[in-house]
Amino acid sequence: MSGLPDGFKRERGLHLLRQMLRIRQFEDRCAELYGAGHIRGFLHLCDGEEAIAVGVMQVLGPGDAIVSTYREHGHALARGVAMGPLMAELYGKRAGCSGGRGGSMHVFDAATRFYGGNAIVGGGLPLAVGLGLAEKLRGTCNVSACFFGEGAAAEGEFHESMNLAALWRLPVLFICENNLYAMGTALARSESQTDIQVKAAAYDVRAAAVDGMDVLAVEQAAREAVEHARAGRGPVLLEMRTYRLRAHSMFDAQLYRDKAEVEEWRKRGPLTTLTTRLKAAGLMTEDDFQALLREADAEVAAAVEFASAAEWEPVEDLARHVYAEEVTP
Amino acid sequence: MTTPLRITYREAVKQGIRGALLADPRVFLMGEDVGRYGGCFAVSKGLLDEFGEERVRDTPLSESAFVGAGIGAALGGLRPIVEVMTVNFSLLALDQIVNTAATLCHMSGGQFPVPVVIRMATGAGRQLAAQHSHSLEAWYAHVPGLRVVEPATIDDARGMLRVALASPDPVIVFEPISLYNMEGDLTDAAAHVRLEGARVHRAGSSVTLVTYGASLWRCIAAAEVLAQDGIDAEIVDLRSLRPLDDATVLASVRKTRRVVIVDEGWRTCSLAAEIGQRIVEQGFYDLDAPIARVCTEEVPIPYPKHLEDAALPGCERIVDTVRRLLGHAV
Ligand SMILES: Cc1ncc(C[n+]2csc(CCOP(=O)(O)OP(=O)(O)O)c2C)c(N)n1
Ligand SMILES: [Mg+2]
């Protein structure tokens, strides 16, 4: 673990930690709510991977577009999707950010240009290429950022999308969250070349491997990548090396990995890492930390209250939203 | 007749796979997370330990490549069982299944039949939302060159894989997600199941319910409710979706003269549409009432339970449809 950069500001540190804590506390609460039956279906939590969502979102502007997977609560929160409507979505309520139709795997939010929550592995990559194409053709400086797991690198979509984005020099950020497992399949059991970022060379895509447990490293790498893409120099692949501290989903007995391995990674968790650094640098006290925690818990509690008080969509509306209700201008 | 064994549908499928691996060294299982993870629905748990990595083969997330590799391995003399986790993800392998598996025998003038078995889970009912709840059996049943089956009972879940592997043609086996935890009796009949042919699951005289897959159990529940009103429903479990067994359906229609088709697919261009049309073509004058259908509402499956339930062809909708149909016929 490296120290903090010279002149690193307390406010900056607290901001990053606050964002990661919001995600962690939200996810913890989701696990409880799943046990209690309020959240149903598949639930994939992102504990351990918070630094990637938070680090990347720091460098994106309101005009940029985001595409994500079924493990997207952290991305949505860091992007600024309001926590109440996010929780209401997980409950399946009409006030949810996707109108309750999508649930945990399908978070959408037009206001923040959050294009979902795709639950087909690799399914989001071509979409991000298209969003990048739209920005380029419209002549903006916006980028599209696509989050996906390392498992997706085995799908054709990954390879086809990288090629297309490079061929057309599109402003696309491919952010691979390499947490070493795709469900129960370890990376070495699924890839002949386990160094994901080197695959980019075959498509002439700029790439880097990043310590995904270090929010500052993530932010720095994302800043450089976004500058590259905004300048019209083409797509970038960032391989964020990380670890999922929880099970794949709520149905996973985790027979494929050692508890010791999980504990080893837990010590390197992004919240632990930043907390330790801030304290060591004298930028944060335990009281400061507790205050952040209370703040996050209060926000989560309010979100749960919002979600549970929200109404169910009437069954008469079942056939809504199959087709657009307004004509797109 | 030995006493039946009470097992889950999941266990029945697993016994089928295990039996096939034991019986024929050319058989192997491959797919995502079938080995170390034990299968995404825990169907293949324990098989890796018993048969080793060569025969219980984990694959990367590359549906098109490993389904295609299964087709190639079948050409090369093996008898692969390829597991695609669910029909939703089989869309990434649709090209290999439709353009290669289904056509090689024909395009090669009969030289290269493709004896591959492709298993996949299907259907909704677990609040998994639009991308994880498809019932696309009709898409596959549309294609000449494929055989398509859907075991809905414990005996079929246990026995159909064996006969699928014995077929020289590509066989798609659909396993309804909502049935994996269902318990039932495994009987001696499992050893004698056929790949083709529908089966009358419940004999009755007032109305025929034609169905397949998880909807069989919706129909059984509906038949029990209807029986309280003195309505005696006959239930035909199609079992094979391609080829379809017209004779069994028509024999039932001749007996009851009224038919409701229950199908978890969407109504438009559905298997229900095909079956209805066949009845019209071959048994129009046996009908005393218009053919009715209970299908999934024309909406991607929504996440909330009350909306998902409303979208699916549930017991209540079947009962209402039958009552209306009989009222109409009186
Ligand atoms: C095309 C496709 N195949 C299989 C699945 C089932 N599945 C869901 S998540 C997952 C693992 C994906 O792993 P990875 O891409 O590394 O992302 P992670 O879950 O680790 O974040 C699998 C196999 C799916 N959703 N889509
Ligand atoms: Mg992964």
Side-chain angles (χ1 to χ4, degrees), chain B residues 30-70:
Chain B
M30 84 171 147
E32 291 160 11
D33 284 310
V34 296
R36 258 167 194 72
Y37 196 81
C40 62
F41 299 106
V43 166
S44 49
K45 212 166 183 181
L47 295 182
L48 173 69
D49 288 342
E50 186 173 358
F51 296 98
E53 290 180 6
E54 294 277 297
R55 299 187 71 204
V56 179
R57 183 172 286 267
D58 279 321
T59 67
L61 278 100
S62 311
E63 286 82 3
S64 186
F66 73 74
V67 169

Side-chain angles (χ1 to χ4, degrees), chain B residues 4 25 37 48 54 65 102 116 131 192 204 215 248 259 261 264 271 312:
Chain B
Y37 196 81
L48 173 69
E54 294 277 297
V116 67
Q131 292 182 332
H192 310 291
S215 297
T248 302
V259 59
I261 308 163
E264 196 177 315
L271 273 161
L312 295 174

